[in-house]
Amino acid sequence: MLVIMKNDATQLQIEAVINHIESLGYRGIPIPGALRTAVCIVGNQGFIDDTPLLSLDGVKECLRVTKPYKLVSRETHPQPTIIRLKDITIGNKKPVIIAGPCAVESEKQALTIAHSVKQSGAQIFRGGAYKPRTSPYSFQGLGEEGLKILAKVREETGLSIVTEATDITNIELVERYTDIIQIGARNMQNYALLKRAGQTSKPILLKRGFAATIEELLMSAEYIMSEGNTQIILCERGIRTFADNTRNTLDISAIPSIKEVSHLPVIVDPSHAAGRREFVIPLSKGAMAVGADGLIVEVHNDPPHSVSDGRQSLYLEQFQKLMQEINKLNM
Ligand code: PEP
Ligand code: MN
């Protein structure tokens, strides 16, 4: 339930509402709006009688939230969430473009790619220092050395950084170095990691699991937000279907579906969806056409020799072409 406060409600009246909610054994989370504050009740399993709440000073009305996710729901927060990172805004019309290699391999590799993608117009650099790999024998990432390289990339290029925390044991270190913490598809339902991500002050890039429904994705985002972190970017990165022409199937309908029910920004990863670089530009254009707030794209200076995901990584010149195509769409 959402307790809507009157426009002129005082802080004391809001606190009295929260105290009342806590006396019922639930949590009350204030959501400040442009004109007034709403208090979202979380933790109840069923019906709450709104009569005592309506009698409290400063309360305008009580609205029932019909979705199982509350805080990430558009019912609770009708305005879109805009995430600000230095001079970048995510979810605010101008698409955000994140580019970089699948994995950080060396300082030289990361800097070469970063300078090039920046030149082409990317605002954020991606690169895994901890890699969740299907095989235990595949390259697992450079770990902290990779994080230090990412910090160097930021220092030299001014690009913001996103990199993945793969479990509860490395999120603290990742948090120290990065600007945005990525939670990958395989970890979308790692609830301990989600809760920990909810306690950081850094924005979270949450990728959809390859067999997860939209509702499950939003429930995972709810785990993060219920711990206090409201800065969440969702990412559609392809789901597993019977189609075997691509690595995954880009669920293009996920973008308007999520936007219909949630206020969070949604970006698209065409690289992991396609698994083939030839499809990255057309899928990116499709994603932008249906309202994505941006893209996260794998780019490499030497894809055939990339330690991971070379087949889906764009060459540097192809990324430049992608940016030109995206800029044309925005004219
Ligand atoms: C990645 O972006 O590096 C990655 C591993 O993607 P996903 O979690 O979507 O597979
Ligand atoms: Mn990859």
Side-chain angles (χ1 to χ4, degrees):
M1 180 150 23
L2 213 51
V3 184
I4 312 290
M5 303 301 297
K6 291 179 182 158
N7 291 5
D8 60 356
T10 64
Q11 194 53 37
L12 276 178
Q13 289 170 338
I14 296 170
E15 277 162 25
V17 168
I18 295 172
N19 289 341
H20 177 81
I21 294 166
E22 285 175 358
S23 75
L24 301 172
Y26 313 131
R27 282 172 63 206
I29 301 182
I31 302 171
L35 292 177
R36 57 186 189 207
T37 294
V39 180
C40 185
I41 305 180
V42 295
N44 60 304
Q45 297 300 326
F47 179 82
I48 296 178
D49 179 9
D50 60 5
T51 320
L53 282 161
L54 287 169
S55 69
L56 294 176
D57 288 339
V59 173
K60 180 167 183 274
E61 58 184 332
C62 291
L63 301 177
R64 302 209 178 266
V65 180
T66 56
K67 299 282 192 289
Y69 40 86
K70 310 288 175 200
L71 300 170
V72 305
S73 151
R74 210 177 259 286
E75 290 176 281
T76 303
H77 190 294
Q79 298 307 320
T81 282
I82 297 173
I83 293 171
R84 290 171 213 283
L85 206 68
K86 286 187 274 179
D87 53 345
I88 306 166
T89 53
I90 306 170
N92 190 19
K93 295 190 188 84
K94 187 178 172 346
V96 66
I97 310 293
I98 306 172
C102 180
V104 176
E105 298 168 24
S106 67
E107 187 174 307
K108 187 159 176 280
Q109 171 247 20
L111 283 171
T112 306
I113 300 169
H115 280 295
S116 174
V117 297
K118 181 177 179 176
Q119 181 78 26
S120 299
Q123 296 122 304
I124 302 178
F125 184 74
R126 62 147 292 148
Y130 295 94
K131 293 304 301 174
R133 303 305 300 280
T134 304
S135 163
Y137 309 120
S138 299
F139 176 67
Q140 304 284 315
L142 296 179
E144 188 168 7
E145 191 194 333
L147 295 174
K148 287 187 175 149
I149 293 172
L150 289 170
K152 182 96 195 277
V153 165
R154 176 176 44 220
E155 197 184 298
E156 272 210 16
T157 64
L159 289 169
S160 293
I161 301 295
V162 58
T163 194
E164 183 168 349
T166 49
D167 66 58
I168 198 87
T169 61
N170 57 34
I171 187 168
E172 199 174 322
L173 199 57
V174 169
E175 181 182 18
R176 226 179 290 154
Y177 285 91
T178 197
D179 300 302
I180 302 177
I181 303 170
Q182 178 171 324
I183 295 189
R186 292 159 188 79
N187 268 319
M188 191 205 83
Q189 288 180 316
N190 179 339
Y191 299 117
L193 187 62
L194 295 173
K195 282 191 195 170
R196 177 62 182 76
Q199 290 154 11
T200 144
S201 58
K202 301 273 166 89
I204 306 296
L205 173 60
L206 177 65
K207 299 188 86 175
R208 179 182 180 188
F210 49 69
T213 63
I214 301 298
E215 185 167 303
E216 286 163 342
L217 171 64
L218 292 170
M219 291 306 283
S220 292
E222 186 83 8
Y223 261 93
I224 299 171
M225 205 173 281
S226 67
E227 291 293 323
N229 191 349
T230 56
Q231 302 186 89
I232 305 169
I233 306 148
L234 301 173
C235 179
E236 161 59 33
R237 47 77 74 205
I239 52 172
R240 190 161 283 178
T241 68
F242 55 80
D244 59 2
N245 52 320
T246 48
R247 182 175 176 184
N248 291 284
T249 299
L250 181 65
D251 179 7
I252 204 91
S253 65
I255 297 107
S257 302
I258 295 169
K259 287 190 163 282
E260 181 182 37
V261 294
S262 175
H263 53 88
L264 294 175
V266 188
I267 66 167
V268 166
D269 174 347
S271 310
H272 289 89
R276 297 169 57 182
R277 75 177 69 85
E278 308 84 291
F279 297 160
V280 168
I281 292 182
L283 291 184
S284 299
K285 285 160 66 177
M288 298 318 301
V290 297
D293 293 297
L295 301 168
I296 178 165
V297 183
E298 286 188 342
V299 183
H300 201 281
N301 56 327
D302 183 10
H305 294 103
S306 171
V307 296
S308 56
D309 288 349
R311 185 70 188 86
Q312 69 198 31
S313 300
L314 294 182
Y315 284 87
L316 301 177
E317 315 76 65
Q318 284 178 309
F319 178 69
Q320 189 180 18
K321 173 96 174 28
L322 166 68
M323 288 304 297
Q324 287 162 355
E325 299 275 326
I326 296 298
N327 290 336
K328 269 192 245 162
L329 295 179
N330 293 320
M331 277 166 60

